[in-house]
């Protein structure tokens, strides 16, 4: 390991957008030491082997990390710290606990707002009431707090090299949130709530972290065919959705990135852009009709009251679980 070589950590890197981010990082002229932080060690090992087939000389490490487990976050942070530096931290791992298809939601969405429908999760009924052994909302801990705690544990290391924290956001982020149930344990849309939280806290995190030389940004992969679709469990519907995604893109709707490599464009841009990167903006992966990737940005829609409330709650949880 060269003292000058950057270190990039990607959570949820065994498949989908996370694996695509890893692939794009290794294609860069100055490829970093790549840390695949994965919950499932076997899937992580397969992803590492796949990447080494394409990049035989790459330095790829595998670390077990389950963001829905406080102890796993602490263990992973300790292991990452031994590398001596972290330049890029991609907070990408995410979960949506799908219960079943929402037939009524499908019919209503197709009849009233078909384009917006395919950019949302209205077709799915999510499980509610899920709590981790740490007694936190499962989706909240997996998608938000596990990463927030990891940033807290690594920020001193990242400040040495003016690192960047890059969150994976979602177009579904504004649909559901309540301060009274901010972990969304009892609500019907825990995934959407968690992505709303990401949008709210990222600019506040950037304000705080930049005092230590670290920046914090949000990227959005667009509508992409990843393992979430496979979780539906209905192959015919899965194929239909993919077909509709292509039709939408051919019609000029650039947010239908479909392919994970195309969906990773915003994240690699945020990793390597030298100037004009604004934490108050959200960076979107887009695709032309024929799949050429691009990146556009738009202001993050933030509620100051929610942002301050959430930062306070997350800081209180860090104080509670920090070791």
């Amino acid at each position: 390991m060269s003292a000058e070589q950057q270190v990039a950590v990607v959570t949820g890197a065994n498949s989908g957008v996370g694996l695509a981010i890893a692939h794009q990082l290794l294609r860069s002229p100055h490829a970093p030491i790549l840390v695949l932080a994965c919950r499932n060690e076997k899937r992580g090992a397969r992803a590492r082997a796949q990447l080494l087939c394409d990049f035989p000389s790459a330095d790829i490490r595998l670390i077990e990390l389950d963001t829905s487990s406080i102890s796993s976050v602490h263990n992973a942070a300790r292991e990452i710290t031994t590398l001596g530096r972290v330049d890029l931290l991609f907070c990408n791992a995410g979960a949506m606990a799908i219960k079943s298809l929402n037939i009524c939601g499908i019919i209503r969405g197709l009849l009233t707002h078909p384009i917006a429908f395919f950019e949302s999760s209205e077709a799915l009924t999510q499980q509610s009431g899920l709590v981790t052994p740490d007694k936190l909302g499962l989706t909240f801990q997996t998608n938000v707090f596990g990463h927030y705690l990891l940033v807290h544990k690594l920020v001193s290391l990242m400040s040495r090299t003016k690192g960047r924290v890059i969150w994976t956001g979602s177009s579904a982020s504004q649909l559901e949130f309540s301060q009274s149930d901010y972990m969304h344990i009892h609500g019907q849309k825990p995934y959407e709530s968690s992505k709303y939280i990401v949008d709210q806290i990222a600019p506040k995190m950037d304000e705080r972290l930049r005092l230590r030389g670290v920046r914090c940004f949000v990227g959005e992969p667009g509508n992409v065919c990843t393992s979430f679709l496979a979780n539906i469990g209905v192959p015919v519907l899965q194929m239909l959705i993919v077909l509709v995604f292509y039709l939408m893109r051919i019609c000029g709707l650039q947010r239908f990135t479909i392919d994970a490599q195309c969906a990773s464009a915003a994240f690699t841009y945020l990793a390597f852009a030298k100037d004009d990167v604004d934490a108050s903006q959200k960076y979107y992966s887009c695709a032309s009709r024929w799949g050429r990737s691009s990146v556009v940005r738009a202001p993050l829609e933030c509620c100051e009251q929610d942002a301050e409330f959430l930062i306070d709650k997350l800081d209180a949880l860090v104080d509670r679980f920090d070791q």
Side-chain angles (χ1 to χ4, degrees):
M1 174 178 173
S2 167
E4 301 298 321
Q5 192 172 14
Q6 290 191 333
V7 173
V9 179
V10 185
T11 72
N14 60 280
S15 64
V17 174
L19 181 58
I21 291 170
H23 194 277
Q24 293 300 325
L25 291 173
L26 294 176
R27 288 184 60 187
S28 65
H30 304 287
I33 295 169
L34 181 64
V35 179
L36 308 180
C38 304
R39 180 180 62 180
N40 187 302
E41 189 174 359
K42 288 184 179 180
R43 292 177 182 174
R46 283 199 296 267
R48 181 177 182 273
Q50 179 182 335
L51 290 167
L52 285 172
C53 284
D54 294 333
F55 307 97
S57 62
D59 188 346
I60 306 174
R61 318 288 177 92
L62 180 61
I63 288 179
E64 185 178 347
L65 169 63
D66 180 357
T67 52
S68 69
S69 165
I70 299 298
S71 62
S72 179
V73 172
H74 285 304
N75 291 337
R78 281 192 287 268
E79 191 169 351
I80 292 168
T81 301
T82 64
L83 296 173
R85 64 185 291 170
V86 173
D87 301 85
L88 299 167
L89 173 59
F90 293 88
C91 298
N92 171 75
M96 179 192 294
I98 299 171
K99 182 179 180 181
S100 63
L101 289 174
N102 182 356
I103 303 302
C104 291
I106 293 172
I107 295 171
R108 182 173 59 252
L110 290 174
L111 293 177
T112 60
H113 50 280
I115 294 176
F117 167 74
F118 282 104
E119 292 186 317
S120 73
S121 64
E122 292 177 60
L124 307 172
T125 299
Q126 298 175 48
Q127 296 183 53
S128 61
L130 298 180
V131 177
T132 68
D134 300 307
K135 302 192 182 328
L136 303 178
L138 174 62
T139 305
F140 166 81
Q141 186 171 346
T142 303
N143 297 2
V144 182
F145 181 65
H147 288 111
Y148 193 85
L149 180 60
L150 184 63
V151 172
H152 170 75
K153 303 296 288 186
L154 297 179
V155 67
S156 295
L157 197 62
M158 298 186 73
S159 66
R160 299 177 187 175
T161 55
K162 301 186 184 302
R164 293 184 178 186
V165 177
I166 302 170
W167 289 87
T168 297
S170 171
S171 59
S173 60
Q174 301 167 28
L175 299 181
E176 294 281 343
F177 176 74
S178 170
Q179 288 192 9
S180 62
D181 182 24
Y182 70 95
M183 294 187 197
H184 214 86
I185 295 172
H186 306 293
Q188 302 303 309
K189 296 285 186 179
Y191 179 80
E192 286 77 1
S193 176
S194 72
K195 293 302 181 179
Y196 175 82
I197 293 173
V198 168
D199 282 3
Q200 303 311 301
I201 66 173
K204 289 291 185 184
M205 290 178 67
D206 185 70
E207 290 177 12
R208 178 187 296 178
L209 295 175
R210 71 190 306 173
L211 298 175
R212 304 183 67 175
V214 179
R215 301 301 307 277
C216 182
F217 305 110
V218 182
E220 209 273 87
N223 299 94
V224 57
C225 300
T226 64
S227 57
F228 277 166
L229 276 183
N231 290 337
I232 295 174
V234 184
V236 173
L237 180 60
Q238 199 175 326
M239 291 174 61
L240 178 61
I241 292 173
V242 173
L243 176 61
V244 171
F245 277 19
Y246 275 106
L247 289 173
M248 293 287 190
R249 194 166 79 181
I250 290 172
C251 290
L253 298 174
Q254 296 185 347
R255 296 290 305 287
F256 287 83
T257 50
I258 304 174
D259 176 76
Q261 294 293 332
C262 190
S264 69
F267 303 94
T268 49
Y269 172 81
L270 287 169
F272 298 119
K274 298 298 183 184
D275 302 305
D276 196 31
V277 186
D278 185 348
S280 69
Q281 304 277 314
K282 193 175 192 178
Y283 291 78
Y284 295 86
S285 297
C286 294
S288 69
R289 286 181 171 87
W290 314 118
R292 184 174 182 178
S293 62
S294 61
V295 179
V296 301
R297 64 182 185 178
L300 275 165
E301 297 187 17
C302 296
C303 169
E304 187 71 17
Q305 183 180 12
D306 282 346
E308 291 181 356
F309 168 84
L310 287 162
I311 288 291
D312 287 344
K313 290 294 185 182
L314 289 164
D315 285 344
L317 289 173
V318 167
D319 291 340
R320 175 180 163 191
F321 289 110
D322 196 15
Q323 295 178 2

